[in-house]
Amino acid sequence: MPLAVYVLGLSVFALGTSEFMLSGLLPPLAEDMGVSIPRAGLLISAFAIGMVVGAPLLAVATLRLPRRTTLITLITVFGFGQVAGALAPNYPVLFASRVLSALACAGFWAVGAAVAVAMVPVSARARALAVMIGGLSIANVLGVPAGAFLGEHFGWRSAFWAVAVATGMALVGVVFLIPTLPVPDERPRLGQEVRIYRDPQVWLSVSVVALAAGGVFCAFSYLAPLLTDVAGLDDGWVPTVLALFGIGALIGTAVGGRIADAHLFGVLLSGIGASTVLLVALALLGEYAVLTVVLSFLLGVSSFYTAPALNARLFNVAAAAPTLAGATTTAAFNLGNTGGPWLGGAVIDAGFGFTSTAWAGAALTATAIGATAVSLRLHRRTARTACATRTASASRVITGASADGTPDPPDRAGQHVPADKPVRTDT
């Protein structure tokens, strides 16, 4: 695996820490800015929505630009966004800095994924993407808890400064270690890249990504009250369980990345199926503290075990548009990260309790299994058609027969030629 891929993973660590660290900083941030906690929580939603909108927009806007230059520009803008957040004098400025950071983050994810795929052979795509996703997993294990620690002891702004420093380190790596990829003979054209959206397999893959991610984060977003109000654990257990989820995510990413290249659909079906079973178990056994902790760890493993395969599948079905494929994958994940928590909040507001988030999440992941099965069926049908076509072509070459078995007419030398090819009459 090229060292440059690990540089991209380091960059994603900084991006992911900034995206998720506000969950541990909302109370002091809201008090300092003079807003309510729900209004402060809009900063999280703004980032997610910025990712959904920004990924395709930035991918299109930078389609004809050198990818290394694009990565340097985006990571620089993201770093300025962190500095602006740390210095924000009021809520509107902080909100604007989050939107700016989200747009740069979305563009970096989309272009970075395309660069990672371009630097490795097709047989190592899932492993390369696993390294990038591993940066996000480590952000959940180390970055987010560290941000909460800094916010508690040195103020919430210190967490933004820390991410700015990590971003600066990532920028140095991008500048010196990301190679200048060769410019293709034919410049990418937006009209050609957009054609990928005519393929139903692309939309099936987007649906699987959004449903699988949404199902897990529907429950994960409300894991803290589930642990304290249902399982009866003390508040001090929440960071530990969240860290266990992150460790599970790191393990799942490493294992899934190794297997997905050879058994892509197997990883998708087994991983999403395992997440569904674990979510149902969490809904049924949420009142038992030890089991809830164990299930949270296993859910981290199963959910991120499928992440490399989900990314690789979209790149496979959208090979003609690698930049838009990366943007679409980023948008799909963030649709799930936005829609899942919204659904979880809706069922809680409806009075079904905190365990209902696990039931709702299981419904989403079960739907993802169905979409994966449909995608697999279409994939096999396409493969059979392609195989039949190749067999017929080979038969024509070997036997001199047309596809329907009728011998092709001989030319004057006695050699057979295809029936649709005119016989030469010149000397």
Side-chain angles (χ1 to χ4, degrees), residues 201 203-209 211 265 269 365-378:
Q201 283 283 31
W203 291 108
L204 278 170
S205 299
V206 168
S207 300
V208 172
V209 170
L211 290 168
F265 278 101
L269 291 172
T365 53
T367 306
I369 294 174
T372 304
V374 173
S375 180
L376 175 58
R377 183 176 181 181
L378 291 176

Side-chain angles (χ1 to χ4, degrees), residues 214 218 334-344 364:
C218 180
N334 281 277
L335 278 174
N337 294 347
T338 304
W342 174 85
L343 178 60
L364 292 179

Side-chain angles (χ1 to χ4, degrees), residues 28-48:
L29 187 153
E31 182 180 357
D32 185 43
M33 289 292 174
V35 298
S36 65
I37 289 181
R39 190 179 180 196
L42 291 177
L43 296 169
I44 300 175
S45 300
F47 199 101

Side-chain angles (χ1 to χ4, degrees), residues 58-59 62 67-68 70-71 74 106-116 323 326-327:
L58 266 295
T62 61
R67 290 180 174 178
R68 179 175 175 274
T70 301
L71 290 177
L74 290 173
F108 191 94
W109 257 108
V111 178
V115 170
T323 302

Side-chain angles (χ1 to χ4, degrees), residues 52 196-197 199-214 268 310-311 313-315 317-318 324-336 368 371-372 375:
V52 172
I196 64 170
Y197 297 118
D199 186 354
Q201 283 283 31
V202 171
W203 291 108
L204 278 170
S205 299
V206 168
S207 300
V208 172
V209 170
L211 290 168
L268 290 178
L310 290 169
N311 280 273
R313 176 59 182 162
L314 249 174
F315 272 94
V317 298
L324 284 184
T328 303
T329 306
T330 302
F333 271 109
N334 281 277
L335 278 174
T372 304
S375 180

Side-chain angles (χ1 to χ4, degrees), residues 5 55 84 99-100 104 106 158 163 180 193 204 231 288 330 340 342 350 377 393 413:
V5 175
V99 173
L100 176 66
S158 64
V163 174
T180 301
E193 295 231 353
L204 278 170
Y288 301 100
T330 302
W342 174 85
R377 183 176 181 181
S393 299

Side-chain angles (χ1 to χ4, degrees), residues 25 54 228 239 317 344 380 396 403 407 418:
L25 301 174
T228 56
V317 298
R380 286 175 172 171
R396 293 182 65 183

Side-chain angles (χ1 to χ4, degrees), residues 59 84 143 174 177 182-183 220 238 246 307 336 368 398 411 422:
V174 171
L177 296 176
V183 179
F220 177 75
V238 173
I398 295 172
D411 62 8

